[in-house]
Every structure is written in C-alpha cells, then in structure tokens.
Amino acid sequence: MSLHRKLIVALAAASALLAGSAQAQYVGPTAGPTAPSSVAAILKNPVDDQAVVLRGHLLRKVGKEKYTFSDGTAEIRVDIDDKVFMNRKIDAKTQVEIRGEVEKDFMESPEIDVDVLTLVP
C-alpha cells in the first residue's frame, strides 16, 4: 500500500472516530419539568430548591426578613434578605418580580427564598 493510500485510510478512520465522538457528545433539546408559573401551582406541588420567577405584590411583613407575597392566585411566605431588599420603598401596591427557590422543609409550609427582587414599572 502506498504512502498516499495509507494516509487516506488513516484520515478516513480519524474522521469516522471524530464523527462518532461528536455525535456521542450531542445534547439535543429535552422536555424536562417546567417551573411553576403561579403561587397556586407551587402550593399544589412544592418541589424543594425549584427555581421560580413570579410577579405580584408583597402584602405585609410577617417577621424578620419574612413577607407575604401574592400573585393573585394565592399567597405564600417569602424570605428576602435585607441586602436583596436594598432599602427600597415598597408597599402592597408596588408590583415586583421575585426570583428565587422554593424551600420545602418537612412539616412546614413552603416558602420562597428570594435571590432577586425587581420593581416592575
């Protein structure tokens, strides 16, 4: 076998290996669980550490860094650190967006640990 032919065979084998490994590493779209879109959905099926994004209102302060939040479907307790709240003036009429995670501890009602609080114009 000539050197030229050996090179072609080696390149073809390498191409096949690369194509096979590229295909093995492909990650296509998957249909996974979707984040709940409402407080009512969270309360119906709370999943610990599930990421959520909700819009609504902080109705009242119920403890240190604890508030009642409603999106119009239901109410849930939210935990907002002072550093996240950033001394903004927010009342029950101010629409906000919260981003955080569901916290579901054994024998306790679920709450949302808020990472980001945004005022909605």
Side-chain angles (χ1 to χ4, degrees), residues 11-54:
L11 286 173
S15 293
L17 285 175
L18 288 175
S21 66
Q23 186 177 10
Q25 294 177 11
Y26 171 76
V27 179
T30 59
T34 59
S37 59
S38 70
V39 173
I42 293 168
L43 295 174
K44 183 177 180 181
N45 184 28
V47 177
D48 193 41
D49 296 330
Q50 184 174 40
V52 294
V53 178
L54 299 167

Side-chain angles (χ1 to χ4, degrees), residues 55-114:
R55 285 188 174 195
H57 299 88
L58 297 174
L59 302 179
R60 62 193 151 276
K61 187 170 184 169
V62 295
K64 182 177 182 350
E65 299 184 339
K66 304 277 186 179
Y67 303 85
T68 300
F69 174 85
S70 175
D71 65 352
T73 66
E75 295 180 3
I76 192 167
R77 188 177 57 251
V78 296
D79 184 346
I80 306 173
D81 292 342
D82 289 337
K83 66 181 180 185
V84 172
F85 211 91
M86 296 189 311
N87 293 323
R88 289 179 277 194
K89 304 270 189 249
I90 297 175
D91 63 21
K93 295 176 188 159
T94 308
Q95 187 174 24
V96 296
E97 180 177 271
I98 59 173
R99 294 175 180 267
E101 294 180 344
V102 175
E103 294 297 322
K104 177 63 180 109
D105 294 326
F106 184 68
M107 300 295 289
E108 289 187 27
S109 59
E111 71 177 29
I112 298 173
D113 186 15
V114 177

